[in-house]
Amino acid sequence: AFVNPLLVLAADVLEYIGELRLLLEETRRVLVPGTGLFALTAEKLEFVGDQADSRPGVALLPSGRVGHTKAYLQEAAANAGFEVMVFEEAELRLNRGVPVLAIVLVLRAR
């Protein structure tokens, strides 16, 4: 028999996935509302300037990995049925001596 997990973890994974809708929806589907948690990291995509608000929330970074904006992650999580419990920026690792900036999220199934 399938047992719903209490926690799903995706650390250092989302930078290989562009659109997150299906991943978030399927993860939400297997978690128990109110108690199931999804912890994840996403490489940070940040636009500056006048056009920042009209830019896509997902884009290929110079590293060849995929980055996600804060706004995209918040909207995608809410649309999939999650409540954001933790939303912080962090240095994920070093890549050739350069810090890789990321967003750390802990989501709770609604």
Side-chain angles (χ1 to χ4, degrees), residues 43-47 52 55-59 67-74 87 103:
E43 286 196 30
K44 182 179 175 187
L45 174 63
E46 188 169 45
F47 295 111
R55 299 297 298 260
V58 179
H68 300 85
T69 64
K70 290 180 181 180
Y72 172 84
L73 292 166
Q74 289 173 321
F87 194 92
I103 299 168

Side-chain angles (χ1 to χ4, degrees), residues 9-88:
L9 176 64
D12 231 2
V13 173
L14 300 188
E15 51 267 23
Y16 302 105
I17 303 172
E19 168 61 47
L20 301 179
R21 184 186 58 80
L22 186 58
L23 171 70
L24 289 167
E25 287 175 356
E26 286 302 302
T27 302
R28 168 59 196 89
R29 184 181 64 78
V30 300
L31 292 172
V32 175
T35 59
L37 299 175
F38 185 21
L40 54 134
T41 63
E43 286 196 30
K44 182 179 175 187
L45 174 63
E46 188 169 45
F47 295 111
V48 294
D50 296 337
Q51 303 295 320
D53 289 338
S54 64
R55 299 297 298 260
V58 179
L60 196 60
L61 299 169
S63 65
R65 294 184 300 270
V66 177
H68 300 85
T69 64
K70 290 180 181 180
Y72 172 84
L73 292 166
Q74 289 173 321
E75 183 177 343
N79 289 342
F82 284 103
E83 175 185 1
V84 177
M85 306 301 295
V86 174
F87 194 92
E88 298 179 3

